[in-house]
């Protein structure tokens, strides 16, 4: 563990001297939440970071979307899905969350890419919207001593645990701005949760493309959230209109809401 910490410290010291084009650390997170159908969801997400820039995304979605970006890849993907369905099996490759977050710390800017009513969109926001208060509470996560901090952010109250042993002001999703990497986060008693399951040093380049997202529409944050909420409330009607199905409306769970709730 000490060797890993020393190497990470060296990497981020170097990144303050020269521009970094590659990631220096890779963190795997498990994201948990209850979706609009009431099902408990678990997503594997990746944070690639170097102290100056970071990318947070679903690795399976990136693979699938890269395949679908070419005619040959689309044929291969469709053939794989058809073969799995014929065998009564779940396809090995299925996309997950289309959330993609890029942070540029020198500009204090976060760009969020996501999906709303079947369309891809993106928006930018200032990192300084998160005002943290630290506490004396600590927790050991993956062998790292972590300190608890709290903030109210876009309608939810967040508790996070960050480790100063990894000197990067970053974390899962849009969370950032503490003097150490955020390894665990939960909103409103766990309605949305992120927890690191693995950390390693790396020298891989950041993904060159966010397939599909490069053509996404620029939107306002609250407008995008309102579109998402409208879809969840009228999913049956929208699916029927688009695909000619006869899907029934899904009754939203009483306690369901988006990860950000200040759009109302």
């Amino acid at each position: 563990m000490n060797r890993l910490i020393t190497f990470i410290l060296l990497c981020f010291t170097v990144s303050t001297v020269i521009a970094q084009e590659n990631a220096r650390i890779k963190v795997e997170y498990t994201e948990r939440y209850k979706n609009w159908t009431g099902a408990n969801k678990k997503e594997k997400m990746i944070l690639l970071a170097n102290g100056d820039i970071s990318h947070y995304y679903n690795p399976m979605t990136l693979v699938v979307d890269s395949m679908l970006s070419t005619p040959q890849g689309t044929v291969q993907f469709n053939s794989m899905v058809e073969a799995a369905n014929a065998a009564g099996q779940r396809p090995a490759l299925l996309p997950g969350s289309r959330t993609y977050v890029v942070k540029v710390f020198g500009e204090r800017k976060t760009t969020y890419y996501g999906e709303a009513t079947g369309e891809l969109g993106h928006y930018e926001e200032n990192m300084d919207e998160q005002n943290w208060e630290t506490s004396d509470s600590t927790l050991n996560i993956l062998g790292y001593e972590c300190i608890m901090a709290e903030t109210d952010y876009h309608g939810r109250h967040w508790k996070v645990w960050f480790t100063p042993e990894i000197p990067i002001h970053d974390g899962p999703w849009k969370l950032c701005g503490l003097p150490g990497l955020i390894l665990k986060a939960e909103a409103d008693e766990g309605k949305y949760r992120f927890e690191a399951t693995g950390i390693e040093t790396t020298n891989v380049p950041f993904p060159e493309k966010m397939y599909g997202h490069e053509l996404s529409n620029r939107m306002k944050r609250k407008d995008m959230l309102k579109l998402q909420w409208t879809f969840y409330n009228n999913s049956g009607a929208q699916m029927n209109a688009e695909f000619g199905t006869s899907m029934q409306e899904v009754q939203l769970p009483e306690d369901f809401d988006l990860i950000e709730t200040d759009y109302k």
Side-chain angles (χ1 to χ4, degrees), residues 86-99:
Q89 299 174 348
R90 188 176 187 272
L93 286 176
L94 285 176
S97 169
R98 283 202 154 79
T99 293

Side-chain angles (χ1 to χ4, degrees), residues 175-240:
L175 301 173
C176 62
L178 285 161
L181 179 66
I182 298 171
L183 297 185
K184 183 177 180 180
E186 60 180 40
D188 297 341
E189 306 302 326
K191 284 188 169 58
Y192 285 86
R193 292 178 291 162
F194 305 88
E195 185 161 1
T197 58
I199 305 172
E200 62 183 73
T201 56
T202 187
N203 192 33
V204 300
F206 292 103
E208 291 184 7
K209 294 178 65 178
M210 292 166 284
Y211 297 93
H213 283 302
E214 69 271 13
L215 301 176
S216 66
N217 297 316
R218 185 183 180 92
M219 306 177 71
K220 294 181 179 179
R221 182 180 66 86
K222 290 186 178 180
D223 288 346
M224 190 170 182
L225 292 168
K226 288 176 183 177
L227 283 175
Q228 291 174 339
W229 182 250
T230 299
F231 170 78
Y232 293 141
N233 272 282
N234 302 279
S235 57
Q238 294 190 48
M239 295 290 284
N240 296 340

Side-chain angles (χ1 to χ4, degrees), residues 24-42:
R24 298 305 184 195
I25 188 171
K26 175 182 176 183
V27 188
E28 291 188 5
Y29 289 93
T30 297
E31 179 179 334
R32 289 183 170 87
Y33 60 95
K34 184 178 289 187
N35 74 359
W36 56 287
T37 68
N40 291 316
K41 297 290 290 182
K42 183 171 72 172

Side-chain angles (χ1 to χ4, degrees), residues 239-258:
M239 295 290 284
N240 296 340
E242 185 170 354
F243 301 107
T245 60
S246 56
M247 178 179 173
Q248 298 295 315
E249 291 294 348
V250 175
Q251 183 65 40
L252 294 178
E254 187 174 337
D255 61 346
F256 172 77
D257 208 335
L258 306 181

